[in-house]
Amino acid sequence: MTTKPKKQKFIVEENETIDECLDRMKREGYFPVRRMEQPIFKEEMINNVVEAVPCGRKIVFEGKLL
């Protein structure tokens, strides 16, 4: 029998709500201990200068085994 890792990261997918991600964690036997948000940038040309413009965010939960 293989054992599950004690900690695992869960990424909120493109067409998934936070509640759906938390339910997925619970089904796999983990509970959330940390929430991290990472900004997503895209490069745009503004006044002949390339600038990084925020266009979204990625939400990641860290879960511990129950």
Side-chain angles (χ1 to χ4, degrees), residues 1 3-4 7-9 11-13 16-17 19 23 26 29 32 35 37 39-40 45 47 49-51 56 60-61 65:
M1 179 176 164
T3 59
K4 291 183 180 181
K7 286 185 181 179
Q8 186 172 341
K9 291 186 179 180
I11 299 172
V12 178
E13 301 296 331
E16 181 181 41
T17 65
D19 287 334
D23 289 340
K26 191 174 187 178
R35 174 185 168 157
E37 290 190 29
I40 300 172
M45 188 69 114
N47 297 330
V49 177
V50 177
E51 292 188 17
V60 180
F61 286 99
L65 198 57

Side-chain angles (χ1 to χ4, degrees), residues 35-48:
R35 174 185 168 157
M36 299 168 279
E37 290 190 29
Q38 301 169 343
I40 300 172
F41 295 96
K42 66 178 179 178
E43 292 182 347
E44 287 188 358
M45 188 69 114
I46 300 174
N47 297 330
N48 294 328

Side-chain angles (χ1 to χ4, degrees), residues 20-37:
E20 291 171 342
C21 181
L22 292 174
D23 289 340
R24 183 167 43 99
M25 288 177 69
K26 191 174 187 178
R27 281 194 310 270
E28 292 185 27
Y30 291 88
F31 67 95
V33 293
R34 184 173 173 191
R35 174 185 168 157
M36 299 168 279
E37 290 190 29

